[in-house]
Amino acid sequence: MTKKLNQILDDQNIQYVNRTKNSYRKHNLATKVMPGGNTRTTQWMEPYPFFAENAEGMYINDIDGNHYLDFMLNATTLILGHAHPDIVKTLTQQIQDGTVYSVPTDGQSKLADILVERVPSFEKVRFTNSGTEATMMAIMAARSFTKKTKIAKFEGGYHGTHDHVSVSVYPKKEDLNTETHPGVPEYSYQPKSILEDVIVLPYNDIEKSKELIHKFKDDLSCIIMEPIISNFGYLPLDLEFIKFIREITEELGIVLIFDEIQSFRVSSGGAQESFGVTPDMTTLGKIIGGGLPVGAFGGKDEIMELFDPTSSNYDIAHAGTFNGNPLTMEAGVTVMENLTSNNFEKMNHLGDSLRSKLSSVFNEINLDVQVTGYGSLFGINFNKNKIKDYRSFLNNNSDMTKILFSYLRNKGILLQLKNAGALNILMTEKEIDYLVDSTREISSEMKDTLDE
Ligand SMILES: Cc1ncc(COP(=O)(O)O)c(C=O)c1O
């Protein structure tokens, strides 16, 4: 980092520390009982995270009395905003009726009905408590269905925290080989067998992907991918590439799994509806639980039959003490009922407007920044090269990324650490303009120091 950029970041951190003294105290106490002071790596931010007191609508309030316009939305989850009155009402009623039973409720069927109706690839669906469990179960299903064991995923693709998707998720530049496969382990002593069973492909590279898929075709049960890549500032994949993957998987009898845990928010049927490409299976999470823990996986009848204890094809036990619990299911139904086509249109239109205003700002100040995103998702990338895959995304300037995040946090705006974010149904041009104007202020300052 240049001296001047370092100075800007230091100033921002000092301001933050001065504004968050109670959080600092709480954080220090928390570090005595939890590694890093919390229980989720993604809650970490430098120099320490602020602690939430409560949240309402578009804002989170911290325990020092600061307010943050929330574009993080718990990793895109809170599409209706915080504490939406309909969700509060639904949950209050359900809590009085009991929080969880060991038998099904109508809420499960109601949410399943809505999702099967909306998601093109869903003929049947099952619920889990997290997206991690959803991708894990979908992969098990693909293995059992195809009678093959290897899986393919993409470099830089995140699909939760279980072992078989934890390969080449965040590999460091210095650990990358010329080829994407074999992949890079995500932690020391990750079993070699996992690295052998997980084929790592490059996003948006038809030739290389084709070569690897053909090489392993006899053992490949599935390919898991995101149509809009969360880890690269919500970059939508090239449509040509998505279509190529659909065709080759169909041709070779490989199950195609779309991980739409984040991208489901771009239309009522998710990115698969927007792009017109239907996978064999889909995993969902985040928005479909109305702010409560959730995941779902589903797809073709003939695959989902593997979970049906009455079927002669039954093969996979899928337990889970809190699967489809009534609180999550009722909140999920409420959020879906609020997500009308008007609301999708409004959020996506606002997303277009945000991306276009941000791009104009960077053109105006002549700074190399790529604004990525799709629908209500966006990312701000300090990067001269066109982002198309993990390796090009890695070229994002990490110092400028940190400065923008820290500056916006002091202005009462919360983004994801890599300056990506999402909109909710409450936001208007006013909130967008505040984000754009604040981004212009700090970006001009950074540009001035670079020009000096
Ligand atoms: C694309 C994607 N897949 C899977 C997951 C895992 O979901 P969860 O955190 O609910 O386990 C996430 C979570 O951020 C995600 O973004």
Side-chain angles (χ1 to χ4, degrees), residues 28 44 68 73 120 139 148 176 179 215 222 239 252 261 308 317 326 343 346 362 401 411 415 424 442:
N28 278 341
W44 171 252
Y68 301 87
L73 297 173
I139 288 171
K148 297 189 269 183
L176 292 172
E179 303 297 327
K215 183 166 173 199
C222 65
L239 192 53
L252 299 176
I261 287 168
D308 178 354
N343 272 331
K346 185 188 147 206
F362 296 118
T401 302
K411 295 282 285 189
L415 294 190
N424 61 39
I442 187 63

Side-chain angles (χ1 to χ4, degrees), residues 100-109 323-326 329:
V100 67
Y101 326 108
S102 48
V103 292
T105 61
D106 197 37
Q108 287 184 9
S109 314
N323 288 358
N325 72 78
M329 295 298 103

Side-chain angles (χ1 to χ4, degrees), residues 40 74-77 131 261-262 284-292 294-295:
R40 180 180 176 197
N74 193 34
T76 72
T77 300
I261 287 168
Q262 297 216 42
L284 302 179
K286 314 271 191 213
I287 64 165
I288 65 161
L292 274 75
V294 76

Side-chain angles (χ1 to χ4, degrees), residues 130-132 135 158-160 226 230 259 261-262 286 294:
S130 66
T132 291
T135 60
Y158 178 71
H159 305 289
E226 283 186 287
S230 316
D259 179 346
I261 287 168
Q262 297 216 42
K286 314 271 191 213
V294 76

